[in-house]
Amino acid sequence: MTASTSLIAAMSAVWRLPRPGPDNLLASPPFVALSELCLAEYGGGKPVFALSTALRSLGLPCHLPANKAPLSLDPESAANALDDAYRRRTTLRRHLCPLDLADEMPMLSFGNARVADFTADDLARLFNAPRLARNFHNESLDPKRLAQFRWLVVEEEIALDPRPEARAAPFMYMTLDRDFGEIDPHLGRFPPAVERALFFLLLAPWERWSTMQEVDWRGFRLPWIYTADDDLFIRPSPPPSADSLTLEPWIVQDQWGDDIELERPTVLRLDDDAASGLALFTDDAWKELEGARATDLFETPIAHFLVRAFLADGMDEVMAHMTAIEAAVGLEMDHKKWLRPKPDPHKAVSSATDRVAARVAAVLNDATSVQAYKELFDLRSAFVHGRTGLQKMSTKQRVMARSLARGVARGLVDLALKGLRPRADVLSDLLTRGAPYL
């Protein structure tokens, strides 16, 4: 589809507004005429903020400084783009996630996500650099520096509201009879699609591959994400800076032996097993995980807390890992004895801590994990209840908390793939198998 001749004519009138433009663009006759024409041709309410947002992304000439005039589309191309924005029913939302401190790793592709290196041209396209330059005249994207890093890119197709104003300014369409302070316990720091991809990657044994556990057991950090939306009616966020990522000086010598100071990303070195291990994180493995997460075994917030632990630091990291274990293999009846079946087949295992420890050992098939979990639980309890004499947590203990949480989550995926069973039945079997380890 192409724009009507009347839309092209109305767009041309707006394009002829002299720089620096009217004091109030939204009230200028050419803008009002274009807005009314859009309402007449497409419906969906009269666009004001949405149209202004779209025009700036298309390179409204009076909005651009003289030195950026070449960024502007011609009126016909701008009208066609506006026509397409009106007619589309979905938008591609792309989450660009820099893997700060990441070592070399193979390219991964799973579900709607990929982990890869990108050239500067690739990143300019993914970020839609021309659109950013039209909107942010004093903040430039530097794709060449950003291309030094590895990236996780997650894409999702999102259904669009047919009202452009609701897409541009959704807060104006919120009902006021709601609790604006309410908390959705299942929402994380990042969009759900990103956290699902992150959970998949966190099932890899990064703590085992790490060669610098005392620095960080993680194979990478995720300091921020940038979400790029193809919808013209949604204003883009300012471009990110490579200075927000971890770079270090790099001294090289030129052909005459003179030192040249460059920069390169700082990395957390992984051992030689990482490449072959990560190669197993395929699209088939992703589908298995998605199938497992649809079962009863993942009805509790296991993924939520494993991701929280990755994003947290210090004791908060350890607490999140311990909570992930509890979410994975804990039951309400562990703490409320009156909920246990009569007769109780596990009467000899009375304490909640022992019951969880037994299940951990059964999932991991490792007797030593019982004592490891109990020691960590004692540290967790001492911290929560403010016991005196609490010692600093060692690197070994911190890494152990991560290892147990990751191993239990990975083990539940394998159990889920063996067939559909009620969660309580699976955990009861695990308790039976794990009790001899106590």
Side-chain angles (χ1 to χ4, degrees), residues 362-379:
V363 171
L364 302 179
N365 193 26
D366 178 15
T368 63
S369 62
V370 169
Q371 190 59 33
Y373 174 78
K374 287 185 174 183
E375 288 180 2
L376 289 168
F377 188 82
D378 284 344
L379 285 169

Side-chain angles (χ1 to χ4, degrees), residues 81-269:
L82 185 62
D83 176 77
D84 177 71
Y86 261 105
R87 296 185 186 280
R88 69 190 311 167
R89 295 293 173 261
T90 62
T91 183
L92 180 67
R93 192 163 292 168
R94 180 181 298 114
H95 307 289
L96 298 155
C97 316
L99 302 185
D100 195 23
L101 299 168
D103 199 357
E104 296 284 343
M105 62 178 67
M107 187 179 76
L108 306 178
S109 179
F110 52 92
N112 57 351
R114 52 185 165 150
V115 173
D117 297 334
F118 296 101
T119 66
D121 289 342
D122 290 335
L123 288 180
R125 177 182 55 80
L126 291 171
F127 277 95
N128 197 339
R131 183 179 180 183
L132 290 177
R134 296 180 193 121
N135 277 276
F136 305 100
H137 307 151
N138 299 317
E139 301 176 71
S140 60
L141 181 75
D142 191 345
K144 185 176 180 180
R145 293 183 72 205
L146 291 172
Q148 298 177 89
F149 296 88
R150 241 144 246 115
W151 293 81
L152 165 67
V153 178
V154 183
E155 297 180 336
E156 51 181 341
E157 199 77 17
I158 303 295
L160 288 173
D161 191 307
R163 302 166 298 173
E165 286 292 276
R167 286 142 65 177
F171 61 89
M172 296 177 61
Y173 292 80
M174 292 180 179
T175 57
L176 299 179
D177 59 344
R178 55 175 289 190
D179 180 2
F180 285 93
E182 68 183 7
I183 295 173
D184 183 341
H186 299 292
L187 284 182
R189 183 189 306 178
F190 297 140
V194 174
E195 298 220 348
R196 294 186 81 86
L198 191 53
F199 176 62
F200 178 61
L201 294 176
L202 290 178
L203 293 180
W206 299 98
E207 74 283 357
R208 189 188 307 159
W209 297 334
S210 171
T211 63
M212 298 183 289
Q213 289 183 345
E214 292 188 1
V215 177
D216 203 336
W217 57 262
R218 298 162 180 80
F220 59 90
R221 287 280 190 166
L222 191 55
W224 47 262
I225 70 168
Y226 183 90
T227 299
D229 201 305
D230 282 354
D231 185 12
L232 270 180
F233 297 129
I234 295 177
R235 179 173 170 80
S237 300
S241 170
D243 289 332
S244 63
L245 303 175
T246 310
L247 292 157
E248 63 185 21
W250 181 30
I251 308 298
V252 298
Q253 290 186 332
D254 62 17
Q255 57 184 326
W256 296 284
D258 295 326
D259 289 343
I260 301 176
E261 184 174 341
L262 304 175
E263 63 179 8
R264 62 182 177 186
T266 303
V267 300
L268 296 170
R269 298 294 178 190

